[in-house]
Structures are given as structure tokens and as C-alpha cells.
Amino acid sequence: MGDGVMVFLIGLFGVFTGMTLLYLSIKITGTAVSVLESKRKAREDAGLGGDK
């Protein structure tokens, strides 16, 4: 029983850790993108260099 349970728990932990890291990286990327977009929009509203 011991080895099978250990492998299962380690696998479960690995999946959980992977999902958590993936979620965090997606959140960080989304935050960075929204910050960059808001900065660009502020620049455009000020009349400094839009993509026109």
C-alpha cells in the first residue's frame, strides 16, 4: 500500500503545484498587460504618440 499511495500523493501535489503556478503566471501576465494598456491609453488621451 505504501508505495502506491506515496506516488499518488506526490503526483497530486505536483499537479496542484503546476496548476497554482500556471494560475499565478496568468494573473501576473494579465495584470501587466492591463497596466501597459492603461499607460498607453493615458498617453493617447494626452495626445502623445498614438498608433495613428
Side-chain angles (χ1 to χ4, degrees):
M1 170 174 161
D3 286 347
V5 172
M6 201 66 166
V7 167
F8 175 73
L9 288 177
I10 289 172
L12 207 62
F13 179 72
V15 168
F16 178 73
T17 306
M19 288 295 192
T20 305
L21 288 173
L22 190 66
Y23 173 76
L24 285 175
S25 65
I26 289 171
K27 289 287 283 185
I28 290 168
T29 305
T31 304
V33 166
S34 64
V35 166
L36 288 173
E37 286 181 349
S38 65
K39 275 187 181 175
R40 193 173 65 216
K41 213 169 264 316
R43 254 202 319 256
E44 287 177 1
D45 290 347
L48 303 173
D51 293 340
K52 297 175 181 103

Short mmCIF file of all heavy atoms in Angstrom, two decimals:
data_model
loop_
_atom_site.label_atom_id
_atom_site.label_comp_id
_atom_site.label_asym_id
_atom_site.label_seq_id
_atom_site.Cartn_x
_atom_site.Cartn_y
_atom_site.Cartn_z
N MET A 1 0.83 -1.21 0.00
CA MET A 1 0.00 0.00 0.00
C MET A 1 0.87 1.26 0.00
O MET A 1 0.56 2.23 -0.67
CB MET A 1 -0.90 -0.01 1.24
CG MET A 1 -1.63 1.31 1.46
SD MET A 1 -2.80 1.22 2.82
CE MET A 1 -3.02 2.94 3.16
N GLY A 2 1.95 1.26 0.71
CA GLY A 2 2.73 2.48 0.94
C GLY A 2 3.24 3.16 -0.31
O GLY A 2 3.06 4.35 -0.49
N ASP A 3 3.87 2.38 -1.20
CA ASP A 3 4.48 3.00 -2.38
C ASP A 3 3.44 3.61 -3.31
O ASP A 3 3.62 4.72 -3.81
CB ASP A 3 5.28 1.95 -3.16
CG ASP A 3 6.58 1.60 -2.44
OD1 ASP A 3 6.94 2.34 -1.51
OD2 ASP A 3 7.21 0.59 -2.81
N GLY A 4 2.35 2.89 -3.54
CA GLY A 4 1.30 3.39 -4.43
C GLY A 4 0.70 4.69 -3.92
O GLY A 4 0.50 5.64 -4.68
N VAL A 5 0.44 4.71 -2.62
CA VAL A 5 -0.15 5.92 -2.03
C VAL A 5 0.84 7.09 -2.13
O VAL A 5 0.45 8.21 -2.44
CB VAL A 5 -0.53 5.67 -0.55
CG1 VAL A 5 -0.94 6.96 0.14
CG2 VAL A 5 -1.65 4.65 -0.48
N MET A 6 2.12 6.79 -1.88
CA MET A 6 3.14 7.84 -1.93
C MET A 6 3.23 8.43 -3.35
O MET A 6 3.25 9.65 -3.52
CB MET A 6 4.49 7.24 -1.53
CG MET A 6 5.46 8.27 -1.07
SD MET A 6 4.88 9.02 0.46
CE MET A 6 6.35 9.85 0.97
N VAL A 7 3.28 7.57 -4.36
CA VAL A 7 3.36 8.03 -5.75
C VAL A 7 2.13 8.86 -6.09
O VAL A 7 2.22 9.90 -6.73
CB VAL A 7 3.49 6.82 -6.70
CG1 VAL A 7 3.26 7.25 -8.15
CG2 VAL A 7 4.86 6.18 -6.53
N PHE A 8 0.95 8.40 -5.64
CA PHE A 8 -0.29 9.11 -5.91
C PHE A 8 -0.27 10.49 -5.27
O PHE A 8 -0.61 11.49 -5.91
CB PHE A 8 -1.48 8.30 -5.38
CG PHE A 8 -2.79 9.01 -5.51
CD1 PHE A 8 -3.39 9.15 -6.75
CD2 PHE A 8 -3.42 9.54 -4.40
CE1 PHE A 8 -4.59 9.81 -6.88
CE2 PHE A 8 -4.62 10.21 -4.51
CZ PHE A 8 -5.21 10.34 -5.76
N LEU A 9 0.15 10.57 -4.01
CA LEU A 9 0.19 11.85 -3.31
C LEU A 9 1.19 12.81 -3.95
O LEU A 9 0.91 14.00 -4.11
CB LEU A 9 0.53 11.64 -1.83
CG LEU A 9 -0.59 11.01 -1.00
CD1 LEU A 9 -0.10 10.77 0.43
CD2 LEU A 9 -1.83 11.89 -0.99
N ILE A 10 2.36 12.29 -4.33
CA ILE A 10 3.37 13.15 -4.97
C ILE A 10 2.84 13.66 -6.31
O ILE A 10 3.00 14.84 -6.65
CB ILE A 10 4.70 12.38 -5.14
CG1 ILE A 10 5.34 12.19 -3.76
CG2 ILE A 10 5.64 13.14 -6.06
CD1 ILE A 10 6.55 11.28 -3.79
N GLY A 11 2.18 12.79 -7.07
CA GLY A 11 1.59 13.20 -8.34
C GLY A 11 0.53 14.26 -8.15
O GLY A 11 0.48 15.26 -8.87
N LEU A 12 -0.31 14.05 -7.14
CA LEU A 12 -1.37 15.01 -6.85
C LEU A 12 -0.77 16.37 -6.47
O LEU A 12 -1.22 17.42 -6.93
CB LEU A 12 -2.23 14.47 -5.70
CG LEU A 12 -3.68 14.92 -5.64
CD1 LEU A 12 -4.42 14.46 -6.89
CD2 LEU A 12 -4.34 14.31 -4.41
N PHE A 13 0.26 16.32 -5.63
CA PHE A 13 0.93 17.55 -5.21
C PHE A 13 1.56 18.26 -6.41
O PHE A 13 1.47 19.48 -6.53
CB PHE A 13 2.00 17.22 -4.16
CG PHE A 13 2.77 18.42 -3.68
CD1 PHE A 13 2.17 19.36 -2.86
CD2 PHE A 13 4.08 18.61 -4.08
CE1 PHE A 13 2.87 20.47 -2.43
CE2 PHE A 13 4.79 19.73 -3.66
CZ PHE A 13 4.18 20.65 -2.83
N GLY A 14 2.17 17.48 -7.31
CA GLY A 14 2.78 18.06 -8.49
C GLY A 14 1.76 18.75 -9.38
O GLY A 14 1.99 19.85 -9.87
N VAL A 15 0.62 18.09 -9.58
CA VAL A 15 -0.44 18.69 -10.40
C VAL A 15 -0.95 19.97 -9.75
O VAL A 15 -1.12 20.99 -10.41
CB VAL A 15 -1.59 17.68 -10.60
CG1 VAL A 15 -2.81 18.37 -11.19
CG2 VAL A 15 -1.14 16.53 -11.49
N PHE A 16 -1.17 19.92 -8.45
CA PHE A 16 -1.67 21.10 -7.72
C PHE A 16 -0.68 22.26 -7.83
O PHE A 16 -1.06 23.40 -8.12
CB PHE A 16 -1.90 20.74 -6.25
CG PHE A 16 -2.35 21.91 -5.42
CD1 PHE A 16 -3.64 22.40 -5.54
CD2 PHE A 16 -1.48 22.51 -4.54
CE1 PHE A 16 -4.06 23.48 -4.78
CE2 PHE A 16 -1.89 23.59 -3.77
CZ PHE A 16 -3.17 24.07 -3.90
N THR A 17 0.61 21.95 -7.64
CA THR A 17 1.64 22.99 -7.73
C THR A 17 1.70 23.57 -9.14
O THR A 17 1.78 24.79 -9.31
CB THR A 17 3.01 22.40 -7.34
OG1 THR A 17 2.90 21.80 -6.06
CG2 THR A 17 4.07 23.47 -7.29
N GLY A 18 1.62 22.69 -10.14
CA GLY A 18 1.66 23.15 -11.52
C GLY A 18 0.49 24.06 -11.84
O GLY A 18 0.65 25.11 -12.47
N MET A 19 -0.70 23.67 -11.40
CA MET A 19 -1.90 24.48 -11.64
C MET A 19 -1.77 25.84 -10.96
O MET A 19 -2.14 26.87 -11.52
CB MET A 19 -3.15 23.76 -11.11
CG MET A 19 -3.54 22.59 -11.95
SD MET A 19 -4.06 23.08 -13.60
CE MET A 19 -4.77 21.56 -14.16
N THR A 20 -1.25 25.83 -9.72
CA THR A 20 -1.10 27.09 -8.98
C THR A 20 -0.13 28.03 -9.70
O THR A 20 -0.42 29.22 -9.86
CB THR A 20 -0.61 26.80 -7.55
OG1 THR A 20 -1.51 25.87 -6.94
CG2 THR A 20 -0.58 28.06 -6.73
N LEU A 21 1.01 27.48 -10.14
CA LEU A 21 1.98 28.31 -10.84
C LEU A 21 1.41 28.85 -12.15
O LEU A 21 1.62 30.02 -12.48
CB LEU A 21 3.25 27.50 -11.11
CG LEU A 21 4.11 27.20 -9.88
CD1 LEU A 21 5.24 26.26 -10.25
CD2 LEU A 21 4.66 28.48 -9.27
N LEU A 22 0.68 28.00 -12.86
CA LEU A 22 0.06 28.42 -14.11
C LEU A 22 -0.93 29.55 -13.86
O LEU A 22 -0.93 30.58 -14.54
CB LEU A 22 -0.65 27.23 -14.75
CG LEU A 22 -1.16 27.41 -16.17
CD1 LEU A 22 0.01 27.58 -17.11
CD2 LEU A 22 -1.97 26.18 -16.58
N TYR A 23 -1.76 29.39 -12.82
CA TYR A 23 -2.75 30.41 -12.48
C TYR A 23 -2.07 31.73 -12.12
O TYR A 23 -2.47 32.79 -12.59
CB TYR A 23 -3.61 29.91 -11.31
CG TYR A 23 -4.56 30.93 -10.77
CD1 TYR A 23 -5.72 31.25 -11.45
CD2 TYR A 23 -4.29 31.59 -9.57
CE1 TYR A 23 -6.60 32.20 -10.97
CE2 TYR A 23 -5.16 32.53 -9.08
CZ TYR A 23 -6.31 32.83 -9.78
OH TYR A 23 -7.17 33.78 -9.29
N LEU A 24 -1.02 31.64 -11.30
CA LEU A 24 -0.32 32.85 -10.89
C LEU A 24 0.33 33.55 -12.08
O LEU A 24 0.27 34.78 -12.19
CB LEU A 24 0.75 32.51 -9.84
CG LEU A 24 0.22 32.21 -8.45
CD1 LEU A 24 1.36 31.78 -7.54
CD2 LEU A 24 -0.50 33.41 -7.85
N SER A 25 0.93 32.77 -12.98
CA SER A 25 1.58 33.40 -14.14
C SER A 25 0.55 34.05 -15.05
O SER A 25 0.79 35.13 -15.60
CB SER A 25 2.41 32.37 -14.91
OG SER A 25 1.60 31.39 -15.46
N ILE A 26 -0.62 33.43 -15.17
CA ILE A 26 -1.69 34.04 -15.98
C ILE A 26 -2.17 35.34 -15.33
O ILE A 26 -2.36 36.36 -16.00
CB ILE A 26 -2.86 33.04 -16.17
CG1 ILE A 26 -2.43 31.93 -17.11
CG2 ILE A 26 -4.10 33.75 -16.68
CD1 ILE A 26 -3.41 30.79 -17.19
N LYS A 27 -2.33 35.32 -14.00
CA LYS A 27 -2.77 36.52 -13.29
C LYS A 27 -1.74 37.64 -13.45
O LYS A 27 -2.09 38.79 -13.72
CB LYS A 27 -2.97 36.23 -11.80
CG LYS A 27 -4.17 35.37 -11.50
CD LYS A 27 -5.46 36.13 -11.67
CE LYS A 27 -5.68 37.04 -10.49
NZ LYS A 27 -6.99 37.71 -10.56
N ILE A 28 -0.45 37.31 -13.29
CA ILE A 28 0.61 38.31 -13.38
C ILE A 28 0.66 38.89 -14.80
O ILE A 28 0.76 40.10 -14.98
CB ILE A 28 1.96 37.69 -12.98
CG1 ILE A 28 1.96 37.40 -11.48
CG2 ILE A 28 3.12 38.60 -13.36
CD1 ILE A 28 3.12 36.54 -11.04
N THR A 29 0.56 38.01 -15.79
CA THR A 29 0.57 38.47 -17.18
C THR A 29 -0.62 39.38 -17.46
O THR A 29 -0.47 40.44 -18.08
CB THR A 29 0.55 37.27 -18.14
OG1 THR A 29 1.64 36.42 -17.81
CG2 THR A 29 0.67 37.71 -19.57
N GLY A 30 -1.79 38.99 -17.00
CA GLY A 30 -2.99 39.80 -17.20
C GLY A 30 -2.86 41.16 -16.55
O GLY A 30 -3.24 42.18 -17.12
N THR A 31 -2.29 41.19 -15.34
CA THR A 31 -2.10 42.46 -14.64
C THR A 31 -1.12 43.35 -15.40
O THR A 31 -1.38 44.54 -15.59
CB THR A 31 -1.57 42.20 -13.22
OG1 THR A 31 -2.48 41.33 -12.55
CG2 THR A 31 -1.47 43.49 -12.43
N ALA A 32 -0.02 42.76 -15.85
CA ALA A 32 0.98 43.53 -16.58
C ALA A 32 0.40 44.09 -17.87
O ALA A 32 0.62 45.25 -18.21
CB ALA A 32 2.20 42.65 -16.88
N VAL A 33 -0.37 43.28 -18.59
CA VAL A 33 -0.97 43.72 -19.85
C VAL A 33 -1.94 44.87 -19.59
O VAL A 33 -1.93 45.87 -20.31
CB VAL A 33 -1.68 42.55 -20.55
CG1 VAL A 33 -2.58 43.05 -21.67
CG2 VAL A 33 -0.64 41.58 -21.11
N SER A 34 -2.76 44.75 -18.55
CA SER A 34 -3.74 45.82 -18.28
C SER A 34 -3.03 47.11 -17.86
O SER A 34 -3.46 48.19 -18.23
CB SER A 34 -4.74 45.38 -17.21
OG SER A 34 -4.09 45.15 -15.98
N VAL A 35 -1.93 46.98 -17.12
CA VAL A 35 -1.17 48.17 -16.74
C VAL A 35 -0.58 48.84 -17.98
O VAL A 35 -0.67 50.06 -18.13
CB VAL A 35 -0.05 47.80 -15.74
CG1 VAL A 35 0.95 48.94 -15.59
CG2 VAL A 35 -0.66 47.47 -14.38
N LEU A 36 0.01 48.04 -18.87
CA LEU A 36 0.59 48.61 -20.09
C LEU A 36 -0.48 49.27 -20.95
O LEU A 36 -0.26 50.35 -21.50
CB LEU A 36 1.29 47.51 -20.90
CG LEU A 36 2.60 47.00 -20.31
CD1 LEU A 36 3.10 45.80 -21.10
CD2 LEU A 36 3.65 48.10 -20.32
N GLU A 37 -1.64 48.62 -21.07
CA GLU A 37 -2.71 49.20 -21.88
C GLU A 37 -3.22 50.50 -21.29
O GLU A 37 -3.48 51.47 -22.01
CB GLU A 37 -3.86 48.20 -22.03
CG GLU A 37 -3.52 47.07 -22.98
CD GLU A 37 -4.66 46.10 -23.14
OE1 GLU A 37 -5.63 46.17 -22.35
OE2 GLU A 37 -4.59 45.25 -24.03
N SER A 38 -3.35 50.55 -19.97
CA SER A 38 -3.83 51.79 -19.36
C SER A 38 -2.80 52.92 -19.52
O SER A 38 -3.16 54.07 -19.73
CB SER A 38 -4.15 51.57 -17.88
OG SER A 38 -2.99 51.28 -17.15
N LYS A 39 -1.51 52.57 -19.45
CA LYS A 39 -0.48 53.58 -19.68
C LYS A 39 -0.56 54.11 -21.10
O LYS A 39 -0.47 55.31 -21.34
CB LYS A 39 0.91 52.98 -19.44
CG LYS A 39 1.35 52.99 -18.00
CD LYS A 39 2.79 52.53 -17.89
CE LYS A 39 3.24 52.52 -16.45
NZ LYS A 39 4.60 51.96 -16.32
N ARG A 40 -0.70 53.18 -22.07
CA ARG A 40 -0.77 53.59 -23.47
C ARG A 40 -2.00 54.46 -23.71
O ARG A 40 -1.95 55.44 -24.42
CB ARG A 40 -0.80 52.35 -24.37
CG ARG A 40 -0.55 52.69 -25.82
CD ARG A 40 -0.43 51.44 -26.65
NE ARG A 40 -1.69 50.72 -26.66
CZ ARG A 40 -1.82 49.39 -26.66
NH1 ARG A 40 -0.76 48.63 -26.65
NH2 ARG A 40 -3.00 48.83 -26.68
N LYS A 41 -3.10 54.10 -23.09
CA LYS A 41 -4.33 54.87 -23.27
C LYS A 41 -4.16 56.26 -22.67
O LYS A 41 -4.60 57.25 -23.24
CB LYS A 41 -5.51 54.13 -22.63
CG LYS A 41 -6.78 54.39 -23.41
CD LYS A 41 -7.92 53.53 -23.02
CE LYS A 41 -8.15 52.31 -23.83
NZ LYS A 41 -8.07 52.41 -25.27
N ALA A 42 -3.51 56.35 -21.53
CA ALA A 42 -3.28 57.66 -20.91
C ALA A 42 -2.42 58.53 -21.82
O ALA A 42 -2.67 59.73 -21.96
CB ALA A 42 -2.61 57.48 -19.56
N ARG A 43 -1.41 57.92 -22.45
CA ARG A 43 -0.56 58.66 -23.38
C ARG A 43 -1.36 59.15 -24.58
O ARG A 43 -1.21 60.29 -25.02
CB ARG A 43 0.60 57.79 -23.86
CG ARG A 43 1.92 58.16 -23.22
CD ARG A 43 3.09 57.67 -24.06
NE ARG A 43 2.87 56.33 -24.58
CZ ARG A 43 3.43 55.23 -24.10
NH1 ARG A 43 4.23 55.31 -23.06
NH2 ARG A 43 3.18 54.06 -24.64
N GLU A 44 -2.22 58.29 -25.10
CA GLU A 44 -3.03 58.68 -26.25
C GLU A 44 -3.99 59.80 -25.88
O GLU A 44 -4.20 60.74 -26.66
CB GLU A 44 -3.81 57.48 -26.79
CG GLU A 44 -2.92 56.48 -27.53
CD GLU A 44 -3.69 55.27 -27.98
OE1 GLU A 44 -4.91 55.21 -27.73
OE2 GLU A 44 -3.08 54.36 -28.55
N ASP A 45 -4.57 59.72 -24.69
CA ASP A 45 -5.50 60.77 -24.25
C ASP A 45 -4.76 62.10 -24.08
O ASP A 45 -5.33 63.16 -24.31
CB ASP A 45 -6.16 60.37 -22.92
CG ASP A 45 -7.13 59.22 -23.12
OD1 ASP A 45 -7.46 58.91 -24.29
OD2 ASP A 45 -7.56 58.63 -22.12
N ALA A 46 -3.49 62.04 -23.68
CA ALA A 46 -2.70 63.25 -23.55
C ALA A 46 -2.24 63.78 -24.91
O ALA A 46 -1.68 64.87 -24.99
CB ALA A 46 -1.48 62.98 -22.64
N GLY A 47 -2.44 63.00 -25.95
CA GLY A 47 -2.09 63.45 -27.29
C GLY A 47 -0.65 63.15 -27.67
O GLY A 47 -0.14 63.68 -28.63
N LEU A 48 0.02 62.29 -26.90
CA LEU A 48 1.40 61.94 -27.20
C LEU A 48 1.42 60.60 -27.91
O LEU A 48 1.17 59.58 -27.30
CB LEU A 48 2.22 61.85 -25.91
CG LEU A 48 2.24 63.09 -25.03
CD1 LEU A 48 2.94 62.81 -23.73
CD2 LEU A 48 2.94 64.25 -25.76
N GLY A 49 1.76 60.62 -29.17
CA GLY A 49 2.02 59.42 -29.94
C GLY A 49 1.04 58.27 -29.82
O GLY A 49 1.30 57.32 -29.11
N GLY A 50 -0.05 58.32 -30.54
CA GLY A 50 -0.91 57.15 -30.67
C GLY A 50 -0.43 56.31 -31.83
O GLY A 50 0.56 56.63 -32.47
N ASP A 51 -1.13 55.23 -32.11
CA ASP A 51 -0.76 54.36 -33.24
C ASP A 51 -1.41 54.80 -34.53
O ASP A 51 -1.85 54.00 -35.34
CB ASP A 51 -1.15 52.91 -32.93
CG ASP A 51 -0.32 52.34 -31.79
OD1 ASP A 51 0.76 52.91 -31.54
OD2 ASP A 51 -0.73 51.36 -31.18
N LYS A 52 -1.56 56.08 -34.73
CA LYS A 52 -2.29 56.57 -35.88
C LYS A 52 -1.35 56.88 -37.04
O LYS A 52 -0.33 57.49 -36.87
CB LYS A 52 -3.08 57.82 -35.50
CG LYS A 52 -4.13 57.51 -34.44
CD LYS A 52 -4.82 58.79 -33.99
CE LYS A 52 -5.84 58.44 -32.91
NZ LYS A 52 -5.37 58.75 -31.60
#
